[in-house]
Amino acid sequence: MATLTINHLHKSFTFGQHKREILTDVNLSIKDNEFVSVVGASGCGKSTLLSIIAGLEPYDSGEVLVDNNPIYAPGLDRGVVFQSYTLLPWLTVQKNIEFALKAAGYAKNESIEIAKDHLDLVNLSAFANVYPNQLSGGMKQRVALARAISYRPKILLMDEPFGALDAITRNQMQELLTKIWEQHRLTVLFITHDVEEAIYLSDRIILLSVKQKGIKSIFDVNQLRPRNKTTLSSTHFISLQEKILDEINQDID
Ligand SMILES: Nc1ncnc2c1ncn2[C@@H]1O[C@H](COP(=O)(O)OP(=O)(O)O)[C@@H](O)[C@H]1O
Ligand SMILES: [Mg+2]
């Protein structure tokens, strides 16, 4: 079954008299438990697409459905993690997650327990009572991830969530996300400008193009799971990476 269905989506931005098309006739379906990445040159509309699905950005025409329900506004059926840290600075780590759970309608006791479980899931139990500004960037993103999945959204939307992290922390986050995805069978739409990251994490990769104003190609990642660092040096991995990078480069002039 499809968790996310997009039919004939069109999106433009208007500057004064001038209307500029960003996404034209985007069609996409993401199955339950599928991990799909979106890559493409800067400005191709990755964040715009994610914001539309998150319900944060209106669109011109078409259909965007999560579990067959049309999306017009943000909702608890979607969990979102952005590159910049969106934790509430005046609440402790534990309270940040409880806050989201309470907003989702959970009772106080339940919220406390679920928040604890999710901090444990991202290995941050020891930091439950500290404030976000006392955490490293990677730790903040672990809290954001814990918060985004704590109320069990149908789909997790991530916009370059590890883009601001150093290489080692980024690798750790990729491992953690993969582990959680395998354990909890999440459905994920993951945006990245890093093709290696996209292949390593995904079942499928969507390539958006500035020139085509929409989806140019879709790639299946035929790599067994669980994946590990030797996956990165397999022939399939390297040739897929070259093919995707070639297509992105054709899009830039
Ligand atoms: N709020 C906005 N108003 C006008 N133009 C925008 C707005 N948001 C994005 N754009 C334009 O839409 C295009 C796609 O942007 P974006 O989705 O952020 O690309 P990406 O995330 O792939 O780098 C860019 O040309 C950008 O300048
Ligand atoms: Mg972006």
Side-chain angles (χ1 to χ4, degrees), residues 93-109:
V93 163
Q94 165 82 21
K95 296 275 182 204
N96 258 279
I97 302 177
E98 285 179 28
F99 184 84
L101 286 161
K102 274 183 228 154
Y106 288 83
K108 188 169 172 62
N109 284 349

Side-chain angles (χ1 to χ4, degrees), residues 43 45-48 159-160 191:
K46 302 183 293 296
S47 295
T48 302
D159 191 355
E160 305 208 19
I191 291 182

Side-chain angles (χ1 to χ4, degrees), residues 30-157:
I30 299 186
K31 294 191 282 284
D32 291 353
N33 310 332
E34 201 179 8
F35 196 122
V36 174
S37 286
V38 178
V39 299
S42 180
C44 68
K46 302 183 293 296
S47 295
T48 302
L49 178 63
L50 185 128
S51 297
I52 290 170
I53 302 165
L56 297 167
E57 182 75 47
Y59 47 96
D60 303 0
S61 62
E63 247 185 347
V64 182
L65 309 167
V66 171
D67 258 9
N68 283 326
N69 298 312
I71 296 309
Y72 301 112
L76 296 163
D77 52 351
R78 286 148 288 151
V80 188
V81 179
F82 292 105
Q83 180 177 331
S84 58
Y85 315 119
T86 51
L87 303 176
L88 301 171
W90 58 87
L91 294 178
T92 63
V93 163
Q94 165 82 21
K95 296 275 182 204
N96 258 279
I97 302 177
E98 285 179 28
F99 184 84
L101 286 161
K102 274 183 228 154
Y106 288 83
K108 188 169 172 62
N109 284 349
E110 233 180 342
S111 300
I112 294 171
E113 286 312 309
I114 297 173
K116 277 189 187 155
D117 289 347
H118 283 80
L119 281 180
D120 191 37
L121 187 68
V122 297
N123 309 319
L124 282 178
S125 296
F127 294 85
N129 296 318
V130 310
Y131 288 86
N133 67 4
Q134 295 167 277
L135 300 177
S136 69
M139 291 159 115
K140 284 182 200 170
Q141 285 307 66
R142 273 146 66 192
V143 181
L145 175 61
R147 183 180 61 177
I149 62 174
S150 66
Y151 49 84
R152 292 288 174 269
K154 300 253 169 30
I155 185 166
L156 178 62
L157 308 171

